[in-house]
């Protein structure tokens, strides 16, 4: 099973124990988390639990979220990859592509570069014919990435836990 992918600037790989501090810093930044769920930040314990879930998805579904590492510096930039969007039952069964990068990595095209690579993995290596991506209304940066990936708006709905409006984009091959 493929567990790492390379782009010119990034290494997409499985999670390691030493990623916890860097991912906690990303998850505890209110600006990063502004559009995630209800906008709450996540501390070390919550981040560790999320990483465990992301790793378990690899075993259970054959897809998961990759840690995104900058090849030049070795810094953890965040994540991208595939998951089952259990938080939005109305779109299931589905596989979602998503991403989250720390602020120092914004505005450089890294999220798009990582997401394109993860999407190619989903289509070619996993043979998926339909991928969704979900964002909170107002998160125009993520919506732009979805469009760059060739996704189209499928519906607007409400996140059942946060009550926030979300848009579901889809790519079907």
């Amino acid at each position: 099973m493929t567990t790492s992918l390379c782009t010119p600037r990034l290494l997409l790989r499985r999670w390691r124990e030493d990623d916890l501090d860097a991912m906690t810093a990303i998850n505890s930044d209110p600006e990063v988390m502004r559009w995630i769920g209800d906008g709450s930040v996540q501390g070390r314990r919550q981040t560790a639990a999320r990483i465990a879930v992301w790793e378990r998805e690899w075993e259970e579904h054959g897809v998961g979220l990759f840690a995104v590492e900058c090849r030049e510096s070795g810094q953890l930039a965040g994540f991208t990859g595939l998951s089952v969007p259990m938080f939005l039952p109305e779109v299931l069964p589905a596989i979602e592509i998503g991403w989250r990068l720390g602020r120092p990595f914004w505005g450089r095209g890294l999220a798009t570069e990582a997401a394109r690579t993860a999407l190619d993995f989903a289509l070619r290596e996993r043979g998926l014919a339909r991928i969704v991506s979900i964002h909170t209304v107002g998160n125009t940066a993520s919506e732009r990435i979805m469009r760059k990936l060739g996704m189209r708006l499928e519906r607007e709905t409400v996140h059942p836990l946060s009550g926030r409006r979300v848009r579901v984009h889809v790519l079907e091959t």
Side-chain angles (χ1 to χ4, degrees):
M1 175 192 318
T2 299
T3 56
S4 65
L5 305 167
C6 283
T7 76
R9 299 183 291 171
L10 304 170
L11 171 64
L12 282 61
R13 59 166 172 77
R14 298 285 292 269
W15 294 88
R16 302 187 306 234
E17 274 188 49
D18 64 351
D19 293 326
L20 181 57
D21 288 338
M23 196 65 218
T24 299
I26 293 166
N27 284 345
S28 63
D29 182 335
E31 190 61 26
V32 171
M33 298 304 288
R34 176 180 176 194
W35 302 110
I36 309 301
D38 66 2
S40 298
V41 297
Q42 298 173 7
R44 184 179 178 83
R45 198 173 62 222
Q46 292 164 304
T47 300
R50 294 305 308 153
I51 290 172
V53 168
W54 300 337
E55 276 295 297
R56 199 167 42 252
E57 283 190 321
W58 281 105
E59 307 310 321
E60 293 174 3
H61 303 289
V63 297
L65 296 176
F66 292 100
V68 175
E69 178 182 307
C70 292
R71 291 176 64 185
E72 188 175 294
S73 67
Q75 286 183 286
L76 182 76
F79 70 71
T80 192
L82 308 165
S83 62
V84 178
M86 299 300 290
F87 67 91
L88 196 60
E90 70 184 72
V91 301
L92 297 175
I95 298 291
E96 177 189 18
I97 187 166
W99 46 84
R100 182 181 311 155
L101 299 184
R103 271 198 281 172
F105 305 98
W106 291 1
R108 297 167 34 194
L110 297 174
T112 302
E113 183 176 322
R116 274 194 180 118
T117 302
L119 183 60
D120 185 63
F121 168 79
L123 299 174
R124 294 180 195 268
E125 303 238 357
R126 292 297 178 258
L128 300 174
R130 183 176 189 274
I131 307 286
V132 300
S133 194
I134 302 160
H135 74 89
T136 301
V137 172
N139 185 350
T140 56
S142 279
E143 190 167 27
R144 272 193 307 275
I145 294 168
M146 292 170 195
R147 288 189 186 131
K148 287 178 185 177
L149 296 175
M151 304 185 98
R152 65 171 174 77
L153 180 62
E154 181 181 70
R155 72 177 88 171
E156 188 169 313
T157 188
V158 175
H159 189 298
L161 299 176
S162 72
R164 295 169 93 178
R165 304 243 6 118
V166 295
R167 290 188 179 140
V168 179
H169 286 71
V170 65
L171 178 74
E172 297 172 305
T173 60

